[in-house]
Each structure stands twice: as C-alpha cells, then as structure tokens.
Amino acid sequence: MKKMLTTGLLGAALLAGAAQAQDTEQLRIGVDIPYEPMEYRTADGELTGFDIELGNALCEQINAECEWVVQAWDGIIPGLMARKYDAIMSSMTINDERRQTVLFSDAYIQPPSAWFAAADSGIETIYPQSMEGKTIGVQRGTLQDNYVTDNYGDVADISRYTTADDLVLDMDAGRVDIAFLDFPIGKSTLLDSDDGNYVTVGNMISEPKEYFGEGFGIAFRQRDEDLAERFNEALATLQDDGTYDEIYDKYFKTQ
C-alpha cells in the first residue's frame, strides 16, 4: 500500500510538472544586431542590450520561453509576416506607415535622433545649405534614412548601411562626413568610441511625428491582438515594480 501511494504521488508530480511545462509558451522574437546599446553580442557571443534584457523580462512576466532570432533589418518585417518569429523587438519606431503592416505594443522607450560628426569636421549647424556636398551616413530602411532622404537628398550624398558598425567604419575612414542615428546608438558607437573623436551637432530631433513616430514598440502580426495585449500588461507591471527602471539605468543612466 505504501509503495502504491509513493508511486501514485510520483505519477501526480510528473503530471504536474508536464502540465507546468506545457503552460510555458514558446515564442520567437526577431532582432537585428548589432545596434548597441539596444541589441548586440558580448565578446563571448551572448546576446545582450536594453531590448534583449527587457524582452527577456517581459517573456518571464507572461510565462513564455523566448528564443531570439537574428534577422537583418531590411528583412525583419517580411520575416514576421513569413512566421519566422512571433514578434519583433528591435528598436522599431512606431509610425503610421508600419501600422499598415504590423500591430504595435505600447511604446517602451522614446529616444531622440541626433547628428554625429568628427570634432574637427567644421560642421556646426544643420540645414540644407550646410549639408551641400557632404556625405551623410544612415542605417538603411530606418526612419533616419527616410528623414535624411526627404530633407537632404537633393543636396547631399547619402550612404546607407546594413549596420551601425559598418557606418562607423566609414566614419573612422573619413568616407562619411556626418551620421544621423538614434542618439543611444550614436552615443555608444561614436561618442564613447576609443577610435575617434566625435561630437553631436545641432539639437536632438524627435519631430515631426510623421518621421519619428511615437517611440519604439514591439511589432506583432495584426491578428495577434491577444499576444500584444499580454506584452502591454507585462510592460505596465515591470514599469510599476521597478524592473523597467533597473534595466533602463543599466544602459542609459549617465551618472
């Protein structure tokens, strides 16, 4: 009888464990790297960054086991539509153009964009005449690309790069006069670089909204409203309990 009870308890425990494992949802999240400090690899190849840490915390909050799928930026929305992953969390700006294709979560951060140039570039102000004949570097397919193309494409040469790191290499080599990037990206790759002496030029830019949108959001397929709402609820919880601030300060606190 004792043996039967022990066997029965063991079976119940195994069933409970199996049920718990089934309750843990498996999700895949698309991400474009490197885009330090938002998403990048450490020296030993581990994915990290603000988006990665916040994404993992969100997944834990909704009881999901998330796998990060690396995808180049110019194919990241098509990859979502092709079901290569269930969501995109890769510093994607919420705007009306993208809303025609994807469903966004609430914004989880809203960094400004900024101009970056070598300290000795002689570029002191930003307007079309000051950009005449200059080579402007942007990451291909980004809102910064759209903004520069529409406002400076007639007077400047625009060099488009798959990654911010490739852009920085050409900045270091003198092939690009000035870059236009999300400020956190430009800070980590240019201002904090040991290989060059770079500064910001002009003011931070976050308007007009038709270009710069409403901040970064997680993108889902439009029919996945329930999944988006679960992430929204998880984000609100992390903001309320201090987890969000802890992750934010790790990457963006200046003092």
Side-chain angles (χ1 to χ4, degrees):
M1 183 68 175
K2 184 176 180 181
K3 184 177 180 180
M4 291 176 63
L5 285 172
T6 302
T7 303
L9 290 171
L10 177 60
L14 290 173
L15 288 172
Q20 185 176 7
Q22 290 175 353
D23 288 341
T24 302
E25 187 175 6
Q26 306 294 312
L27 294 174
R28 294 167 296 167
I29 304 178
V31 63
D32 170 41
I33 60 169
Y35 212 52
E36 190 174 352
M38 305 301 289
E39 46 262 343
Y40 60 100
R41 291 192 187 275
T42 62
D44 60 5
E46 181 181 356
L47 282 175
T48 190
F50 179 75
D51 280 347
I52 304 297
E53 288 205 33
L54 180 59
N56 286 337
L58 290 168
C59 288
E60 182 178 353
Q61 185 65 35
I62 67 170
N63 195 31
E65 184 175 314
C66 291
E67 173 190 356
W68 294 90
V69 180
V70 176
Q71 168 67 55
W73 182 258
D74 54 3
I76 203 163
I77 289 181
L80 178 67
M81 298 299 103
R83 305 188 68 85
K84 291 177 64 176
Y85 28 83
D86 305 291
I88 299 168
M89 189 167 182
S90 191
S91 305
M92 181 173 285
T93 298
I94 302 168
N95 60 31
D96 289 339
E97 180 181 355
R98 290 179 178 141
R99 276 198 180 102
Q100 296 177 21
T101 307
V102 302
L103 172 67
F104 280 107
S105 70
D106 296 336
Y108 61 87
I109 189 173
Q110 189 166 12
S113 297
W115 296 93
F116 300 86
D120 60 358
S121 69
I123 303 174
E124 297 180 353
T125 55
I126 304 297
Y127 55 96
Q129 288 80 2
S130 69
M131 292 294 101
E132 189 168 356
K134 298 291 192 298
T135 298
I136 303 173
V138 295
Q139 187 180 11
R140 182 181 293 109
T142 60
L143 60 92
Q144 289 83 14
D145 183 357
N146 295 338
Y147 178 81
V148 167
T149 298
D150 289 351
N151 290 278
Y152 300 96
D154 292 340
V155 297
D157 295 322
I158 302 173
S159 290
R160 298 175 176 87
Y161 298 85
T162 301
T163 70
D165 283 353
D166 290 340
L167 192 164
V168 171
L169 288 174
D170 273 6
M171 288 280 286
D172 291 342
R175 290 187 285 268
V176 172
D177 298 301
I178 191 166
F180 191 55
L181 297 165
D182 286 320
F183 176 73
I185 310 305
K187 180 180 184 301
S188 65
T189 57
L190 290 167
L191 299 185
D192 297 343
S193 171
D194 294 329
D195 299 325
N197 183 17
Y198 295 100
V199 296
T200 58
V201 181
N203 298 321
M204 301 287 181
I205 299 176
S206 56
E207 297 282 351
K209 294 298 183 185
E210 65 182 278
Y211 290 108
F212 298 102
E214 303 161 23
F216 293 167
I218 306 168
F220 304 87
R221 288 181 287 274
Q222 289 185 340
R223 65 184 182 184
D224 291 337
E225 294 180 1
D226 289 344
L227 182 59
E229 185 55 33
R230 288 166 58 202
F231 271 86
N232 284 339
E233 291 173 359
L235 177 62
T237 297
L238 297 184
Q239 289 171 331
D240 288 342
D241 69 13
T243 302
Y244 179 93
D245 289 340
E246 182 179 338
I247 297 171
Y248 183 93
D249 289 349
K250 179 176 177 180
Y251 290 95
F252 302 116
K253 193 171 183 178
T254 56
Q255 297 295 333

